[in-house]
Amino acid sequence: MGLTEQLGHPDPRQREAAARRVALRVWEPEAEEAIGAALVRAAGAETEPGALAAQLDALPAVEAGLTDGDLHRLGLVRSDSPVLARLLARAGRLQISAPVRPSGAATLAVVRCLRGAPRTGLWLRTPDGAWTVLERIELYGRAADRLDSGCTGRVLLSGPGARGLGEWERLDADPRPRECVRGLRAPDPRVRALAAAGAADAAGAAGPAGAAGAAGTGGTGGADAPAADPEAGRMLCAALARAAVAETDPAALESELAALLGLAPFLGPPPLALLHALDAATLPARPRTYLDALLRPGRTG
């Protein structure tokens, strides 16, 4: 029985076991999409709490393969899972649907949620890359902590990007991790090398500690970018390891392994298992040094 079939098995113990298997590997893009869709279907129909928890916990392992339709269906799943909350926040996309107006140092806007479930405290980016913070959400005149897909509400936004919101139609929760994953799949090695070089920033690994995270609770801090997102970091580590083991270009391989070192705190067993497949003896000196450091026994991460 295949994994996707097991996720739909009549026995909830089988469904739970299948979901737990998902997190034990780094999946190829086609498998990410198929397993992600199967997990979403399973979670949407699940009635057994243990199986549902396992399904939701497995989602970050295939997050890069989730479609907008998958994310919309996940928004309908009623669960207090923090994993699901963070995933839906990371996917957040807002459409500005009415003229904005200043409110002191912040900006008031009417927005429609196109994807995910943005929460108060979430950092969003304007199309030109400026940061803004979702300070407050109002639905039908009452405060809410999240805005579900398809809903329209009034929001208060602060931060550097809030001052120019009248120029834009859309805001996204930080899109850089997904863009980086797409770049690592590009046929051009120069694109792969550039995507790898930006991986640490895409995970927020260089961001200031204490800034609001993807599913924050309203604090904005005084910084210009959100703090590191561990699940985005793990997603990038999986994509980098997958790219490295298939890499044929020395410069791109060096960039991918260097990026993995920069993301070492997020590097877990599945991508490490992939890296063990690399033959260090055949690598140029610098990539070999990076690989040795990544595979060194007792490496902290």
Side-chain angles (χ1 to χ4, degrees):
M1 181 186 296
L3 188 57
T4 54
E5 291 82 3
Q6 191 181 1
L7 285 166
H9 197 279
D11 184 345
R13 293 171 297 180
Q14 291 281 348
R15 298 195 298 270
E16 182 175 349
R20 296 195 186 285
R21 285 173 54 199
V22 171
L24 300 179
R25 282 182 53 190
V26 173
W27 303 95
E28 290 299 318
E30 295 80 8
E32 275 184 342
E33 294 172 7
I35 295 170
L39 274 173
V40 171
R41 286 194 301 271
E46 190 56 70
T47 58
E48 202 283 320
L52 178 60
Q55 291 154 3
L56 298 179
D57 287 350
L59 286 169
V62 291
E63 183 172 352
L66 297 177
T67 66
D68 283 3
D70 292 332
L71 292 164
H72 177 74
R73 285 187 285 275
L74 285 172
L76 303 177
V77 174
R78 292 304 161 196
S79 169
D80 59 1
S81 164
V83 172
L84 179 61
R86 290 191 297 267
L87 187 152
L88 291 173
R90 284 194 297 277
R93 174 176 290 171
L94 297 178
Q95 180 183 50
I96 299 173
S97 54
V100 304
R101 62 184 180 88
S103 177
T107 299
L108 283 166
V110 175
V111 299
R112 179 174 175 80
C113 180
L114 300 179
R115 188 179 68 191
R119 290 176 173 260
T120 52
L122 179 66
W123 291 79
L124 299 155
R125 286 171 76 90
T126 64
D128 69 345
W131 289 104
T132 186
V133 183
L134 187 56
E135 294 279 4
R136 191 174 73 232
I137 300 170
E138 287 184 6
L139 290 172
Y140 309 110
R142 301 183 66 178
D145 66 350
R146 66 181 251 178
L147 188 61
D148 291 323
S149 179
C151 291
T152 297
R154 194 166 78 146
V155 298
L156 182 70
L157 297 146
S158 68
R163 290 187 289 273
L165 286 181
E167 303 175 25
W168 309 114
E169 294 181 353
R170 200 177 77 186
L171 299 171
D172 280 279
D174 191 0
R176 294 174 302 169
R178 284 176 174 267
E179 291 170 357
C180 185
V181 169
R182 284 195 292 270
L184 289 166
R185 296 173 179 172
D188 188 337
R190 294 169 297 182
V191 175
R192 297 195 298 270
L194 284 171
D201 284 344
T217 56
T220 63
D224 295 328
D229 180 347
E231 282 161 1
R234 288 191 286 271
M235 179 172 70
L236 286 164
C237 284
L240 285 161
R242 182 171 53 210
V245 297
E247 191 55 74
T248 57
D249 181 81
L253 177 62
E254 181 176 331
S255 186
E256 289 152 4
L257 293 175
L260 281 165
L261 270 180
L263 294 171
F266 310 123
L267 187 60
L272 278 173
L274 269 186
L275 294 177
H276 277 285
L278 284 170
D279 184 357
T282 65
L283 301 182
R286 188 168 294 178
R288 185 169 63 248
T289 300
Y290 294 152
L291 182 62
D292 288 344
L294 287 164
L295 301 182
R296 184 180 302 131
R299 178 191 60 80
T300 57

